[in-house]
Amino acid sequence: GGGSFMDNSHGLQHVQAYKLTSSNCDCLDKVYENCYKVIYYSNCIIEKIPETSDAEINRIKAEAKFLRALATFRLIRFFGTPPFVDHIPSSDEYYPSNGDTKTMIDWCISNMKEAAEVVPALSGIGTQKQYGGRISKHGALAYAGKVGLWYGTRYNDPSYVAAAVEPLKTVVNSGLYGLVDDMSILFRKQADFCKEYVFE
């Protein structure tokens, strides 16, 4: 929006102004609900599709593994200690207690790195559009590094910051991404699938 309540979209201006209450938090309700939808559908793909040697099926399962880790990370950033759902819940698990942040962060990093072992890399710099709007090897590693860097700085744990160096360095050294010359295009249509974006 434009910074005024005239264009208040799903309460986002309330979030920006730190005026969020139980009566105007529809936008965060949707974040919470949609993240758990992503986790549920990802768990269905991972658990219901049998193990196989088929490369395409294994890629899809790896993408689901990445997406549920990304959704879990977003929940942690918004809510701190959300319920930890790493499988399809049984009927007696519908109301889980809050999860442990460190345990969930470790799980997110591990799942993102595991996904990076399976999904392919881009074929060259600037080929994200041809690759499609899917997670790539280096995109998954970039997020694994981001998760570790966020946790390490947020909770003052230098070991996580140090561990984030390896996956992030792998992304930089791949030569498959780079900075755009004109920063004004970022987050606008003309930047879609540009070399600076690791995942769209």
Side-chain angles (χ1 to χ4, degrees):
S4 86
F5 283 88
M6 296 299 291
D7 58 7
N8 186 14
S9 174
H10 301 291
L12 292 175
Q13 295 296 340
H14 291 291
V15 175
Q16 179 180 319
Y18 299 103
K19 293 182 178 179
L20 205 61
T21 69
S22 59
S23 63
N24 67 9
C25 66
D26 179 59
C27 61
L28 289 186
D29 288 349
K30 290 297 180 192
V31 169
Y32 191 85
E33 177 184 334
N34 290 335
C35 282
Y36 278 110
K37 281 183 181 178
V38 169
I39 292 168
Y40 174 75
Y41 291 130
S42 296
N43 281 332
C44 286
I45 290 169
I46 293 163
E47 294 181 28
K48 298 291 185 181
I49 298 176
E51 293 296 319
T52 179
S53 58
D54 185 290
E56 185 174 3
I57 291 174
N58 287 333
R59 173 185 176 167
I60 291 166
K61 291 179 78 169
E63 289 170 347
K65 189 176 275 194
F66 168 80
L67 288 172
R68 73 175 180 177
L70 179 60
T72 300
F73 176 55
R74 288 193 171 162
L75 286 166
I76 293 167
R77 290 183 68 191
F78 271 101
F79 305 104
T81 57
F84 184 27
V85 182
D86 63 349
H87 61 280
I88 299 172
S90 59
S91 58
D92 60 344
E93 296 177 303
Y94 286 165
Y95 301 99
S97 59
N98 287 20
D100 174 70
T101 304
K102 184 179 184 303
T103 300
M104 290 187 288
I105 287 293
D106 289 342
W107 179 86
C108 289
I109 293 169
S110 174
N111 274 253
M112 289 173 173
K113 286 182 175 180
E114 287 172 21
E117 297 283 327
V118 178
V119 296
L122 300 185
S123 59
I125 192 165
T127 60
Q128 180 72 51
K129 189 169 187 177
Q130 292 83 359
Y131 184 88
R134 308 174 83 149
I135 192 64
S136 66
K137 173 186 180 72
H138 296 96
L141 289 173
Y143 271 93
K146 177 179 180 173
V147 172
L149 190 60
W150 176 86
Y151 181 82
T153 54
R154 172 72 175 82
Y155 292 94
N156 195 26
D157 189 331
S159 66
Y160 280 83
V161 175
V165 171
E166 180 190 349
L168 293 173
K169 189 174 181 181
T170 301
V171 175
V172 172
N173 290 343
S174 73
L176 296 172
Y177 304 91
L179 301 177
V180 296
D181 296 327
D182 181 6
M183 286 179 52
S184 71
I185 70 168
L186 296 177
F187 306 110
R188 291 177 167 79
K189 185 173 175 46
Q190 57 264 45
D192 286 354
F193 297 110
C194 72
K195 63 183 179 178
E196 192 160 325
Y197 292 175
V198 296
F199 178 48
E200 287 189 78

